[in-house]
Amino acid sequence: MADSSIFTGPSGFQPLRLLPEWAVFETAARNSPIHDHSLRIINAAGLHVDVSGQGYSDALAEATDALLRARDFGLMRDRLLQGGMANVTEERAAWHTALREPDPIDEVAAERQRLTEFVRQADSERRWRNVVHIGIGGSDWGVRLAVDAFGYAGAWRTVHFVANIDGHAIQGGLAGLDAHDTLIVLASKSFTTAETLENGQRALEWLKAAGVENPYDQIVAITARPEVAYKWGIPRNHVFTFWDWVGGRFSLWSSVSLTTALSVDTDVVAGMQAGASAMDAHFAEAPVHLNAPVQLAMSGIVNRSVLGYGSLNIAPYDFRLSSLVPYIQQMEMESLGKSTDLAGGAVEIPTGPAVWGMPGTDAQHTFFQWLHQGSDGAPVDFIVCQQADHGWPEHHKRLLANCLAQREALLKGKSYEAALQQCLDEGMDNDKAHWLAHHKVHAGGRPSTLIVLPRLSPYALGALLALYEHKVFVQGLVWGINPFDQWGVEYGKVLAKGILDELSGAPVDARHDASTAHWVEQFRG
Ligand code: F6P
């Protein structure tokens, strides 16, 4: 007999809006100035996280402590880091931190070892000049990010990424490659994702068509469901596993990094893991007011839920980090794009912001005008490396100068009086100066964080990614939502399957809206 009891969420859970600590926090946040110009920099796992450009007051610091206590922050953090059930709606742990432990549990250590041996063997045989990495979302972005960041100037192996179901993606990904020297990597936690399996089939057909004798020997699978990959035809020694307790968007730390290792070496993977693990230790141990992920999370909550900013801009001042924006976009928006709390009710307080961005200085010539003088504005996370890895110090000085200047402009703004004086100093006549000065005013007081990496080492990038992961966890905890599920994405997948059947001749569902029904009819062959 079915259990008739109604699950009402974790016992003792209170919606955020009903917590007295939230009311105090909200008031304190409204009364905490953004540009009081006092320096607040937190050093964490080698990163310098400058939160001087976020609202601050002693009252807000106290309210932050109280709110986190009300949410059992210490207990919940330990539960996460020790592999307890953090993902309550899917009833499993979210234990990605176990993958980067210096001394991991046996099953993790064994897969790490297998991966290293695979790469060593390929290197010693000088095989696979091309790697085609097929995966989407969390099975794609982290690898792209690492390969871009450390292979930006080229590597012995060329990596091609194929994610989209759009056939042009696989067509372009395979174009011009020597099939006999190409390894296909299929990365999919579930091994059911339509994009990955379809693109995988096309790659298999391509290998066969090119006369490759044993095409399955040129395919590797990375998945949490190895038995499905075996059924697909992939030999056991070519299937790398990870576990159900690793969320897809956190799977970069698993064997999914095989492509990274083949491209830029296992040292890079190990370095990223070490940096992330150092950030885990910081998150576990640092007191709240010196805890970088916590402070980043809480200023994000002030900006989103109190000040009403609908989005967060990520501005990495590093050309090599162009994939950082979609990576953080998935991590934040798939995790925090929810408005139902753990008890099943509406949060009724704005939760996860839209995340967007582009590397500086390109971003300055694209949308920074909107950040400076647009009616909405957005908080900005500036990310920059103190030291560059190229040989042109002038370039780097200019990059740093631009980063600091944009941030200062957002923070301090420019008053009407200053703008007027500038116009007059330029020799403008009085009337024109008074008119034009209005257009040159910057409101200022727009929040930002500056994250400084000593240089873009694997260690620093690992620490940076773990910083955002833990920030997302803290925000989910405070808002009272589960950052580890993604039911919204699942619904669209189900609808797409039905429409695909209709496009292939099945009767059209009468429950479609008029527009969808029209286009299904149009697109049916
Ligand atoms: O976009 C939804 C999602 O489930 C992500 O969470 C995941 O990273 C992606 O699809 C790919 O899933 P899989 O690794 O199972 O193919």
Side-chain angles (χ1 to χ4, degrees), residues 321-332:
L321 293 180
S322 50
S323 294
L324 182 68
V325 173
Y327 183 84
I328 296 182
Q329 213 167 32
Q330 188 207 14
M331 190 200 297
E332 294 222 1

Side-chain angles (χ1 to χ4, degrees), residues 189-242:
K189 178 183 174 185
S190 59
F191 225 75
T192 56
T193 302
E195 287 93 333
T196 304
L197 296 188
E198 284 299 321
N199 284 325
Q201 278 298 340
R202 298 298 84 73
L204 176 65
E205 289 157 14
W206 173 79
L207 289 172
K208 286 181 181 165
V212 169
E213 216 174 304
N214 297 310
Y216 287 103
D217 288 347
Q218 290 189 208
I219 304 180
V220 163
I222 303 156
T223 179
R225 299 179 66 205
E227 68 292 348
V228 190
Y230 305 148
K231 264 198 210 138
W232 207 83
I234 300 171
R236 284 178 178 256
N237 64 340
H238 273 207
V239 177
F240 293 87
T241 50
F242 59 103

Side-chain angles (χ1 to χ4, degrees), residues 136-139 188-190 193 248-249 330 334 486 489 493:
I136 195 162
S139 295
S188 175
K189 178 183 174 185
S190 59
T193 302
R249 51 191 172 275
Q330 188 207 14
E334 207 164 85
Q486 58 283 318
V489 185
K493 286 185 195 169

Side-chain angles (χ1 to χ4, degrees), residues 230-271:
Y230 305 148
K231 264 198 210 138
W232 207 83
I234 300 171
R236 284 178 178 256
N237 64 340
H238 273 207
V239 177
F240 293 87
T241 50
F242 59 103
W243 303 273
D244 220 23
W245 42 262
V246 179
R249 51 191 172 275
F250 305 92
S251 63
L252 160 73
W253 311 105
S254 72
S255 308
V256 167
S257 64
L258 175 70
T259 300
T260 311
L262 283 165
S263 167
V264 289
D265 203 14
T266 48
D267 289 354
V268 167
V269 174

